Amino acid sequence: MAFRKKAFHVLEINPDILIVPECENPGKLIFPKNTKQPNSIFWAGTNPHKGIGIFAYNNFSLKVDKSYKEDIKYFIPLKVTAPGIEFNLLAIWANNPKDPDGRYVEQVWKGIQHYKKLIKRSNTILAGDFNSNKIWDADHRKWSHSSVVNELGKYGISSAYHHHFNEYHGMEKGNTLYMYRHINKPYHIDYCFLSEDYIKKIKSVEIGEFDKWIKHSDHLPLIVDINN
């Protein structure tokens, strides 16, 4: 929420691509003068105070793929380009209270099925707030977190965090969400899944420090650096 007030802190990381769930719409994004401006923005949402925003910096640009289906909220297919670089980005904030099939990980499952042609390609990234973890599989008997992980695994796509730290889903040592900003309510629900060609190029994976970021959000940033 109120990303315009927090962007300066996030931009200290110097991201090329930034995915911001619960982001206000571009009409409200009046950044302070000392804040670096993005090259391009895509935003989707029904609440002007709370949608998903994707921002491109450092000569990167965004273009929405023609296969975009607004009913799958919020699972945004984008073509990302920079000089000598091109990849598919599926930006995610899994949140659709009106879907009778399920509001969270079920949206991710539906997105994977609908955008399968994009996902099967090389140079593919799926990233954002999945609102899911293996520990809640029993609550999502139709399409669970493990269903999503296994489905992506068929196409050689795996979580950058879990690959880099050699950890199992549901047994993460690092957490990306602290419910109500309470340190005793940690969860890992934000992910960056990479196709096999990008998994091989991981330079670093990092979760922001609790003490630094919790005053800005209940989520900590998941930062993935990939060699070109």
Side-chain angles (χ1 to χ4, degrees), residues 64 72 104 121-122 134 168 176 193:
V64 180
I72 305 172
Y104 292 134
R121 298 175 185 172
S122 59
K134 182 180 173 64
Y168 293 104
T176 66
F193 281 83

Side-chain angles (χ1 to χ4, degrees), residues 55-118:
F55 302 83
Y57 300 89
N58 301 335
N59 295 320
F60 282 78
S61 62
L62 308 171
K63 182 179 180 181
V64 180
D65 191 81
K66 61 183 180 181
S67 61
Y68 177 39
K69 185 177 182 181
E70 293 186 16
D71 292 347
I72 305 172
K73 299 194 177 345
Y74 293 97
F75 199 114
I76 316 299
L78 298 156
K79 182 73 68 177
V80 182
T81 57
I85 300 172
E86 182 175 311
F87 63 90
N88 296 309
L89 172 65
L90 290 306
I92 297 165
W93 175 35
N95 181 28
N96 188 3
K98 296 182 179 180
D99 190 334
D101 290 330
R103 65 183 294 181
Y104 292 134
V105 70
E106 295 85 0
Q107 301 301 302
V108 183
W109 176 266
K110 288 184 177 183
I112 292 170
Q113 304 311 309
H114 179 71
Y115 300 115
K116 193 169 288 187
K117 288 184 179 179
L118 291 178

Side-chain angles (χ1 to χ4, degrees), residues 159-167 199 202-206:
S159 163
Y161 171 90
H162 295 82
H163 175 85
H164 187 72
F165 292 105
N166 193 27
E167 294 181 12
I199 281 286
I202 291 176
K203 184 177 179 181
S204 65
V205 178
E206 178 185 352

Side-chain angles (χ1 to χ4, degrees), residues 185-201:
K185 294 184 177 180
Y187 301 98
H188 191 113
I189 66 171
D190 303 277
Y191 302 89
C192 178
F193 281 83
L194 304 175
S195 54
E196 189 173 4
D197 47 337
Y198 278 161
I199 281 286
K200 295 176 180 178
K201 296 179 180 179

Side-chain angles (χ1 to χ4, degrees), residues 11-156:
L11 293 176
E12 290 179 347
I13 300 170
N14 190 30
D16 294 319
I17 303 297
L18 185 60
I19 300 170
V20 185
E22 301 187 19
C23 179
E24 66 266 67
N25 72 21
K28 296 182 177 295
L29 285 173
I30 302 173
F31 296 114
K33 291 182 179 179
N34 62 342
T35 304
K36 183 178 180 180
Q37 301 297 305
N39 299 325
S40 58
I41 300 173
F42 181 83
W43 184 91
T46 55
N47 181 340
H49 304 285
K50 201 172 183 180
I52 180 171
I54 304 97
F55 302 83
Y57 300 89
N58 301 335
N59 295 320
F60 282 78
S61 62
L62 308 171
K63 182 179 180 181
V64 180
D65 191 81
K66 61 183 180 181
S67 61
Y68 177 39
K69 185 177 182 181
E70 293 186 16
D71 292 347
I72 305 172
K73 299 194 177 345
Y74 293 97
F75 199 114
I76 316 299
L78 298 156
K79 182 73 68 177
V80 182
T81 57
I85 300 172
E86 182 175 311
F87 63 90
N88 296 309
L89 172 65
L90 290 306
I92 297 165
W93 175 35
N95 181 28
N96 188 3
K98 296 182 179 180
D99 190 334
D101 290 330
R103 65 183 294 181
Y104 292 134
V105 70
E106 295 85 0
Q107 301 301 302
V108 183
W109 176 266
K110 288 184 177 183
I112 292 170
Q113 304 311 309
H114 179 71
Y115 300 115
K116 193 169 288 187
K117 288 184 179 179
L118 291 178
I119 290 169
K120 285 182 176 180
R121 298 175 185 172
S122 59
N123 299 349
T124 296
I125 299 173
L126 299 91
D129 180 356
F130 285 48
N131 267 316
S132 69
N133 190 288
K134 182 180 173 64
I135 61 175
W136 298 310
D137 274 2
D139 298 329
H140 304 275
R141 297 184 182 278
K142 190 173 183 180
W143 301 311
S144 67
H145 180 83
S146 292
S147 300
V148 165
V149 172
N150 293 336
E151 185 75 0
L152 291 174
K154 293 178 183 179
Y155 311 116

